[in-house]
Amino acid sequence: MAAGPSAFQSRLAKELPPLLDNAQLDFKAKDDFLATLTCDKGNVLKLGKILSEKFGFEHLSLITTVDRIERFELVYQITSYQNHCMLEVRVAVPKDDAKVPSVTPVWGGANWHEREAYDMMGIVFEGHPDPRRILLPQDYKYFPLRKDFKMDGE
Amino acid sequence: MAEMWINMGPQHPMTHGLWNLRIKVDGEVIIDAMPEIGYLHRGMEKLFENRTYTQIAPITDRLCYGSSFTWNHLFCLTAEKLMGLEIPERAKYIRVMTIEMQRIGNHLMWIAAYAADLGLLTGFIWALREREIFIDLMQALSGSRLTYNYARIGGVAADLPPDFERDTLRALDYFERKLPEHEALYEKSKIFMMRNEGVGILKREDAMNLGVTGPVLRASNAKLDIRKDNPYEVYDEIDFEPQCSNLCDCFGRYLVRMNEMKESCKIIREALRKMPKGPVRVKTPLEGSPGEVFGRVEDSRGEGMMFLIGDGTDRPSRLKVRSPLFVTLSAAKKMLVGYKVADVVAIMGSIDVCMGETDK
Amino acid sequence: MKVGTVLMMRSKDFMSWADDWVGRVMKKGPIGRAVDTLLTDFWTWARVNSLYPLHFGIMCCALEMAAASGARFDAQRIGVIYRSTPRQCDMLLVNGPVSKKLRPDLRRLYDQMSEPKWVVAMGECAISGGPFWNTYSVIEGVDQFIPVDVYIPGCPVRPEAMIEGFMKLQDKIRKEKKGPLTEEMV
């Protein structure tokens, strides 16, 4: 993987901000495969639609939830097979209003990833077709991956 | 006809692991499906935050026990990326060789369970017999039959034992001679072909949108393999072809896996030939540097990823595991609707379920 | 309705009288004891050589359980054949960690098996929780809610160790020396 952005990444850096009303994106190309950008939580679904329809990002690889003590963070890793590029989108989620629009209408594969994110961290995805717990019993009261939850349980 | 929901699982000979498949049937035809998982949840991601890097490596074996070396290796790859380590060439070749041996062992276990489900018990016994050969080879390497803990951060645990190359080449010759017999057993069986052809069709656009990867995606007419697209270790120096099929059904997935076993034999031979001499391990620091990295490999079942956040201590701050089957299983509804109850076994078997990685 | 109630009561009376008579005369009387002594060895031989475990694979030890029924280690030579439904089994092999979500289902499977039944805890996860012993969702050992007869250590258990565990269970059954009438009528 060579250092320096590829032609596709330069194109992304130029064309994405105007499509999102010139929001602050912090687009950075790490090498010719991986690029990172940050996104506001209200713009997530719009960004997903633009990436999937205009730029050919067909595959949502992973949705990670991170507990950064003062806020939550969601990291979406989206891959484009045809353009050989992976985008890491970071979304900051405040702890007192942990609601994010769901990207299931764009990528069907996000369905179970978002259920697991809710199950483990407690972030609610608005518009999700099946917002239930997936790994723990349905009546479990806690969210295990939060930093204030101890490993051996309640 | 009355519509009703039926539970298949968690204790069901079809399931190979603990999960529950709820299907809504109208007579004999399936109109809806809802897999339920979580019976094997062990809290691994929380466990990873409370163990040191050295202690995590044997636990990652238990993520998917059918193909345990790939998870071991994926964790070591990610941790080495975080710490900025460069491992010796010989270690990379040994890792590639072990990954491919593990892939053959995993596909053999799959065909054993699949044949047993469809009623071909001869296939079960034959596949387990060939698998014992590869397990013996990996036991000579690492000391254990199933969960190896052979990859370490910085290389592999130990060098190849004496006469390993001779034994491996002999085993591969025997296996390549026997594989046509296995194929004849399945492809000349009318019942196997009728239960597999045209069953469980998953089109290419649906597979990509639903996040499906691995042999299931390659059987849907998409030649996508991380070993070729984003090579890691020494895959860019080895000559092989990702196998794909344009049949999109259960038989296509069977063909992809059988052909992958043949390709893996080729890769092992080439890796043994090209392996340089030298050390197999470098010294590693106990603490991980701060940073965020991800590792991405082609597991036997699809795209496996680990996202690691280090904070300068000897424990990771966050280690997230992406299991390929977690996503492929969520695409079950697309593959099941419209078929009959008796096809559930064939369709769910052809995606090669292993609940260890799905439930973490 | 009235007829039905009368008939039910009558059959209940009959059952309690029959149990009483059979219990006193047959099981504890001289005829019962003679039958029991004559048939104990035969009953033990039949039980020992036909242990049917349940098709229930939880985690890694399940793959070794499958390998043990292959051609190399052949568990069938000691009489072990896997059955799919708990009604036809007399051995429950627990081969992985039990999570809190699984606990009620496993207890229900155990209750659905009919007497006589034995439980074998295979592997460290079933004995004490294994490497996951102090997480929030794993129960520390299956003997917290099911009585266990034989513990087989290992992680994962080698097929040879599993077959030896079965043979230890066979020794335990031989020592119990239970005939047909020393069983509880369940």
Side-chain angles (χ1 to χ4, degrees), chain A residues 36-55:
Chain A
T36 62
L37 62 88
T38 57
C39 178
D40 191 40
K41 76 170 186 170
N43 268 337
V44 165
L45 186 55
K46 198 168 165 201
L47 175 67
K49 283 202 175 98
I50 295 171
L51 285 176
S52 159
E53 287 159 15
K54 286 207 167 48
F55 293 103

Side-chain angles (χ1 to χ4, degrees), chain B residues 14 22-23 32-33 47 80 107 120-121 143 149 169 172 174 195 214 217 238 243 257 269 278 325 331 340 342:
Chain B
M14 176 267 291
R22 307 191 65 216
I23 47 176
D32 199 357
L47 190 68
E80 282 154 16
H107 287 334
L120 269 170
L121 285 173
N149 192 18
L169 291 172
L172 289 176
Y174 168 81
R195 285 191 82 166
L217 178 65
I238 294 190
Q243 300 297 313
R257 290 197 178 100
R269 281 183 208 271
L325 270 184
K340 304 224 161 67

Side-chain angles (χ1 to χ4, degrees), chain A residues 50-144:
Chain A
I50 295 171
L51 285 176
S52 159
E53 287 159 15
K54 286 207 167 48
F55 293 103
F57 279 87
E58 323 97 327
H59 175 65
L60 175 66
S61 292
L62 185 58
I63 302 181
T64 312
T65 55
V66 188
D67 187 349
R68 301 254 192 218
I69 316 288
E70 65 274 353
R71 62 175 198 281
F72 292 136
E73 193 172 287
L74 275 175
V75 183
Y76 292 79
Q77 282 171 324
I78 313 171
T79 320
S80 169
Y81 290 125
Q82 46 188 300
N83 297 314
H84 192 71
C85 176
M86 181 187 267
L87 207 53
E88 251 182 42
V89 180
R90 278 154 209 272
V91 178
V93 180
K95 278 204 170 175
D96 45 3
D97 181 29
K99 293 196 182 48
V100 181
S102 159
V103 292
T104 341
V106 181
W107 294 291
N111 193 326
W112 276 22
H113 282 133
E114 290 179 346
R115 277 179 76 183
E116 192 193 344
Y118 166 64
D119 194 9
M120 292 281 123
M121 201 65 97
I123 301 177
V124 177
F125 288 88
E126 293 161 339
H128 194 275
D130 191 10
R132 289 180 301 149
R133 281 184 181 265
I134 187 169
L135 293 175
L136 290 165
Q138 295 299 326
D139 52 359
Y140 199 72
K141 292 193 287 283
Y142 305 97
F143 298 109

Side-chain angles (χ1 to χ4, degrees), chain A residues 59 61 65 68 90 108 149, chain B residues 46 209 292 303 318 322:
Chain A
H59 175 65
S61 292
T65 55
R68 301 254 192 218
R90 278 154 209 272
F149 182 84
Chain B
K46 192 78 185 180
N209 186 279
E292 301 180 3
E303 173 192 6
R318 175 83 170 103
R322 190 245 193 215

Side-chain angles (χ1 to χ4, degrees), chain B residues 76-77 79-89 91-92 95 153-155 233-234 237 279-285:
Chain B
C76 295
L77 189 72
E80 282 154 16
K81 243 182 174 174
L82 181 73
M83 298 176 186
L85 288 176
E86 188 60 42
I87 65 171
E89 278 291 304
K92 289 187 188 171
R95 278 182 177 182
I153 305 179
E233 307 292 10
V234 284
E237 295 170 21
V280 291
R281 201 167 171 185
V282 293
K283 258 187 116 49
T284 59

Side-chain angles (χ1 to χ4, degrees), chain C residues 10-118:
Chain C
R10 274 205 190 147
S11 87
K12 258 200 219 165
D13 282 341
F14 173 75
M15 287 304 290
S16 63
W17 169 83
D19 261 343
D20 202 28
W21 195 82
V22 167
R24 261 188 303 121
V25 176
M26 290 297 293
K27 281 211 269 190
K28 298 191 180 107
I31 307 171
R33 274 183 280 145
V35 165
D36 220 12
T37 327
L38 281 173
L39 287 181
T40 299
D41 285 339
F42 174 68
W43 235 246
T44 313
W45 170 86
R47 276 198 193 127
V48 154
N49 290 304
S50 68
L51 286 169
Y52 286 1
L54 181 63
H55 233 135
F56 188 56
I58 305 181
M59 219 166 84
C60 337
C61 287
L63 283 194
E64 296 289 51
M65 186 176 88
S69 54
R72 191 177 187 182
F73 301 106
D74 201 11
Q76 203 170 358
R77 58 194 154 129
I78 53 174
V80 160
I81 302 178
Y82 294 96
R83 309 296 299 166
S84 318
T85 156
R87 304 285 188 193
Q88 295 171 351
C89 297
D90 50 10
M91 180 161 69
L92 181 65
L93 255 187
V94 187
N95 45 25
V98 182
S99 69
K100 292 198 171 125
K101 198 167 177 181
L102 178 63
R103 175 179 173 151
D105 292 335
L106 189 54
R107 179 73 215 189
R108 194 191 295 175
L109 278 175
Y110 176 74
D111 289 334
Q112 282 180 342
M113 287 163 62
S114 46
E115 293 280 344
K117 54 190 173 190
W118 298 277

